[in-house]
Amino acid sequence: MGLTSNTVLALAIIAGVLLFAATVWFWPKLSGRTWRAFAGRIGLLLATQLALFSAVGLAANKSFLFYGSWADLLGQETSMGKVVDHSMSSKDIKVVDKQKLDVPGGAKPQVGGQILKVAITGQKSKITSPGYVWLPPEYFQPQHKDQNFPASIVLTGYPGTAENLIKGLDYPMKAFSLSKSGKMKPMILVMLRPTVAPPRDTECVDIPGGPQTETFFGEDLPQAITDTFRVGKKPQNMGFIGNSTGGYCALKIAAHYPQTFGAAAGLSAYYEAPDDPTTGDLFHGDEKLKKRADVLHSVEHKKPTGTSFLVTSSEKGEPNLADTKKFIKKVQGPDRVSSIILDSGGHNFNTWRREIPPMLMWMSGRIQA
């Protein structure tokens, strides 16, 4: 039974209810002052609380997909498994598995598109990261066999998994539905998590003496995408999307690499790298590197080249509203900035699900094949 299965959640809830009932039922019998009665009361209380907390934790994890498996939860998910080369593999992107979209006729890629589970290796950064690639149905249709497609990198937050973007935020299904209804152009989505050196949160920074995460996302990954799939190499061909930590990375890297990314969308993004136990020392006293990691500083000193930015926040519930408004004011033409400001919405999947469809339509209007 998997960590995110309904069975595990149901068993935890049932255990909590039964232990609560047992506590109420046996409490009078355990009211004595003997060590056995004392131990019995403690045992029932601890077991009941453990079951209830487990049920709440499992429900939260099922909703937000912080961890995809028991091994991931226990920190044992260190191996990416056996890499199997398929027809769409390249020297940088190895296809591990293929999945179909759950739509009528979805077993045929030309009808339902295809989700590729991949391992991506950066030539400069020497980083290897797992991820998923969504290829729309048109990619496989004979009439489009010589056509290029726009592509967007999509990052989840920390400590999320790339699978969150498929199961939790439904990126492929949303892109499929919007494209089929004519509300956006077919687009390739390359979905990863920003955590390339787990469990460390590297914040998409090139850490002195450590993981070169910005180089991976800003240089290696776009190169791997254009070398493997039918995607052009101009800024108007590629976008960058992310939520939370991924949103911070998207805005920052698009500001640093305008020659690569024509558009970036930061959903609930923050604008400065945190300094906490999960990040460690990111800058090693290098003030120039620290300023480079500041999105507001980066966009203010960016040479305007026509990059499009989209930022999101909420009037109530999001802590980034003030900085989001600062970001909007700092964007200078011919760069462009758009926003989605909800009346209320927290830093969570439900908020991002409300923002993803209009964001994808916006992105479709900013990048092209």
Side-chain angles (χ1 to χ4, degrees):
M1 293 183 289
L3 179 63
T4 60
S5 72
N6 290 325
T7 303
V8 170
L9 178 58
L11 288 174
I13 294 172
I14 292 170
V17 172
L18 291 177
L19 283 167
F20 178 78
T23 301
V24 174
W25 180 262
F26 287 109
W27 196 261
K29 298 180 181 180
L30 297 172
S31 59
R33 296 190 178 186
T34 66
W35 69 268
R36 289 184 178 179
F38 185 71
R41 292 196 298 270
I42 292 176
L44 281 173
L45 288 173
L46 288 177
T48 302
Q49 290 185 359
L50 179 61
L52 291 175
F53 281 127
S54 296
V56 172
L58 287 166
N61 187 66
K62 183 175 177 60
S63 176
F64 298 112
L65 288 176
F66 296 120
Y67 300 97
S69 66
W70 293 107
D72 191 23
L73 174 65
L74 299 173
Q76 299 171 342
E77 195 65 77
T78 58
S79 173
M80 293 190 302
K82 183 179 179 181
V83 174
V84 179
D85 292 335
H86 294 272
S87 58
M88 280 178 284
S89 294
S90 68
K91 63 182 177 67
D92 299 323
I93 297 181
K94 304 299 182 185
V95 176
V96 179
D97 195 10
K98 299 178 181 179
Q99 304 173 19
K100 67 181 181 68
L101 203 62
D102 188 17
V103 297
K108 297 178 180 179
Q110 63 270 30
V111 175
Q114 195 168 71
I115 301 171
L116 307 178
K117 186 176 183 180
V118 298
I120 304 170
T121 301
Q123 295 301 310
K124 292 183 179 180
S125 64
K126 307 304 178 185
I127 288 172
T128 298
S129 181
Y132 294 88
V133 177
W134 157 251
L135 297 173
E138 291 81 1
Y139 193 88
F140 302 94
Q141 295 169 359
Q143 64 269 35
H144 300 294
K145 64 182 180 66
D146 297 320
Q147 176 184 328
N148 280 353
F149 289 79
S152 284
I153 296 168
V154 187
L155 295 188
T156 186
Y158 175 86
T161 65
E163 192 178 23
N164 288 356
L165 299 167
I166 298 173
K167 292 186 176 180
L169 295 176
D170 300 323
Y171 266 95
M173 182 62 78
K174 285 182 171 67
F176 174 86
S177 300
L178 289 170
S179 177
K180 192 171 183 179
S181 65
K183 295 180 179 179
M184 67 173 281
K185 298 186 295 285
M187 183 187 303
I188 296 172
L189 301 176
V190 182
M191 299 168 284
L192 303 93
R193 63 178 181 174
T195 313
V196 296
R200 189 176 187 182
D201 177 11
T202 58
E203 292 293 322
C204 296
V205 169
D206 279 352
I207 302 173
Q212 302 297 286
T213 314
E214 179 174 323
T215 297
F216 175 76
F217 285 116
E219 300 181 41
D220 289 338
L221 183 54
Q223 185 67 52
I225 293 169
T226 56
D227 285 351
T228 308
F229 304 105
R230 300 199 305 273
V231 178
K233 296 186 177 183
K234 296 180 179 180
Q236 60 264 34
N237 305 136
M238 192 170 297
F240 209 133
I241 300 166
N243 60 269
S244 191
T245 301
Y248 161 77
C249 292
L251 298 177
K252 178 179 67 174
I253 291 177
H256 293 171
Y257 296 90
Q259 74 278 13
T260 302
F261 300 99
L267 310 184
S268 301
Y270 48 85
Y271 298 88
E272 189 176 8
D275 180 7
D276 58 36
T278 67
T279 65
D281 188 353
L282 293 174
F283 311 114
H284 294 260
D286 189 330
E287 286 300 317
K288 185 177 179 181
L289 186 60
K290 187 175 182 179
K291 284 184 177 180
R292 181 176 175 83
D294 187 321
V295 174
L296 296 179
H297 179 273
S298 295
V299 76
E300 184 177 15
H301 292 83
K302 174 186 181 294
K303 181 180 179 180
T305 56
T307 308
S308 295
F309 296 98
L310 172 69
V311 289
T312 78
S313 187
S314 302
E315 293 289 349
K316 294 181 180 179
E318 284 275 33
N320 73 335
L321 180 60
D323 283 341
T324 297
K325 291 179 177 179
K326 290 179 183 178
F327 179 90
I328 292 171
K329 291 180 179 179
K330 289 181 181 294
V331 175
Q332 305 172 45
D335 288 352
R336 297 183 291 174
V337 62
S338 305
S339 67
I340 299 173
I341 308 295
L342 301 175
D343 290 336
S344 65
H347 196 82
N348 55 52
F349 275 33
N350 183 56
T351 296
W352 302 327
R353 290 188 191 106
R354 297 158 62 195
E355 297 167 342
I356 288 172
M359 179 276 296
L360 286 174
M361 290 186 282
W362 174 89
M363 182 64 75
S364 178
R366 295 300 189 274
I367 61 174
Q368 56 192 333

